[in-house]
Amino acid sequence: MENVLRPLIVVGGSVVLTLLVGWAVDRLLRRADARHSETPLWGLLRRCRLPLQVVLCTALFRGSYAQARVAENHAAAIGRVLTLVLIGSTAWLVIRIAAAVVESSYARYAAARRDPARVRRVRTQVTLIQRVVSAIVGVVAAASMLLTFPAMRTAGASLLASAGILGIVAGIAAQSTLGNLFAGLQIAFGDMVRLGDTVVVDGEWGTVDEITLTFLTVRTWDERRITMPVSYFTSKPFENWSRGGAQMTGTVFFHLDHRAPVPEMREKLADIVRDCPAWDGRAWGLDVTDTTPTTMEVRALVTAKDPDDIWTVRVTVRERLIQWLTEEHPYALPRITTAQASLPPTIPHQVRTPGSSMDGVAPRKGRG
């Protein structure tokens, strides 16, 4: 009877204690979240309930397994498995706590700031910091798991003896990976490009959708995703339309006939931008910027608060001005002047007369 009750008491007690602690911690976090609604930290920490229970339950099993007296012949193997689970669940808990702290800090910063550029910069930095922390915790946890095996501890000494050679070989083999890693840190803290920035790379216009330690993803206007190594942004030039502020100035060009009514077009442009919700009200203008023997170039200038709105204003101005010219001033649209082709002048045929030759040379006079 003791052989049955002892394992039940040990296992059941560990499970019940784990559930009670998890319930109590979750209740305390819920009260703290309701009391301090200005910060989302306590609500985010509630996500750590499951890894906390796994850590607590595994630690209780590991500490009380000897008293359970179950499968004593395999005590060493079971103890090592519980140790591995404890290390992995602890790493899981640390990553969850770090993510909650980082997300809470970013949320409070974003709520207190009004500058979108600085908010995107901090968002990029905290995202990469969170990834670095997760990678470090994962590597430490994996190394700790390996060191629980005696064979790995024995091999550690020989690995340290050849660390110099292995470091050189690894550095050469992982040169591009390390380059991308340092480029990712440079992007995060050098403020070169941020999440949400509008960029033009290789002729493609899009928004930075994701930044990791090794690659960057740009979402184009037609919902495509362009993935490239982060080292691209540290070694090649690119356009960042969000740098120094999101507001932009856009242009629309028209090739029109020389008789086009420029003053009336200027007045119509004013009406169009005033009716366009995407126009930010900063500036507009219309000028003749060039001329050719057949047409003249007219440039309309408009402004907007961000790249998306400037696109909307440009297409609206282009469409409505062309429609207005077609309906009100069709003569202003460019035309190709055509006429009947004139034939080259003809040479009149020479008339043969008596005493003349076919080649136009006078005949020789006869003798006598």
Side-chain angles (χ1 to χ4, degrees), residues 194-207:
R194 299 154 299 197
L195 290 172
D197 280 3
T198 302
V199 296
V200 179
V201 289
D202 287 341
E204 294 285 350
W205 179 89
T207 305

Side-chain angles (χ1 to χ4, degrees), residues 63-250:
S64 60
Y65 176 73
Q67 285 72 27
R69 297 179 183 178
V70 178
E72 295 181 354
N73 296 331
H74 305 283
I78 295 176
R80 181 170 290 114
V81 171
L82 291 175
T83 301
L84 295 176
V85 174
L86 181 60
I87 293 173
S89 58
T90 303
W92 183 18
L93 178 61
V94 172
I95 291 174
R96 281 288 182 90
I97 294 175
V101 172
V102 169
E103 291 182 19
S104 174
S105 302
Y106 168 72
R108 295 184 64 181
Y109 183 88
R113 296 286 179 175
R114 300 298 181 186
D115 187 0
R118 293 184 63 87
V119 172
R120 289 199 303 270
R121 177 184 179 183
V122 173
R123 180 185 175 190
T124 303
Q125 292 177 353
V126 298
T127 300
L128 290 180
I129 289 174
Q130 182 177 345
R131 293 179 184 275
V132 170
V133 171
S134 301
I136 293 175
V137 172
V139 170
V140 172
S144 302
M145 289 180 179
L146 292 176
L147 291 177
T148 59
F149 297 93
M152 290 297 177
R153 290 197 298 266
T154 305
S158 59
L159 289 176
L160 289 176
S162 58
I165 299 176
L166 290 177
I168 295 174
V169 174
I172 296 175
Q175 183 177 3
S176 60
T177 302
L178 292 176
N180 286 327
L181 176 62
F182 288 113
L185 295 176
Q186 184 179 354
I187 286 177
F189 297 99
D191 198 24
M192 300 174 59
V193 62
R194 299 154 299 197
L195 290 172
D197 280 3
T198 302
V199 296
V200 179
V201 289
D202 287 341
E204 294 285 350
W205 179 89
T207 305
V208 178
D209 191 52
E210 183 181 7
I211 299 178
T212 68
L213 292 177
T214 55
F215 67 89
L216 185 148
T217 303
V218 176
R219 185 183 73 251
T220 61
W221 64 273
D222 54 355
E223 300 299 330
R224 290 181 293 118
R225 300 297 192 278
I226 302 177
T227 302
M228 57 189 63
V230 292
S231 58
Y232 175 93
F233 291 86
T234 59
S235 60
K236 296 182 180 180
F238 65 95
E239 296 182 30
N240 189 343
W241 291 8
S242 302
R243 183 77 176 182
Q247 60 186 17
M248 295 190 64
T249 300

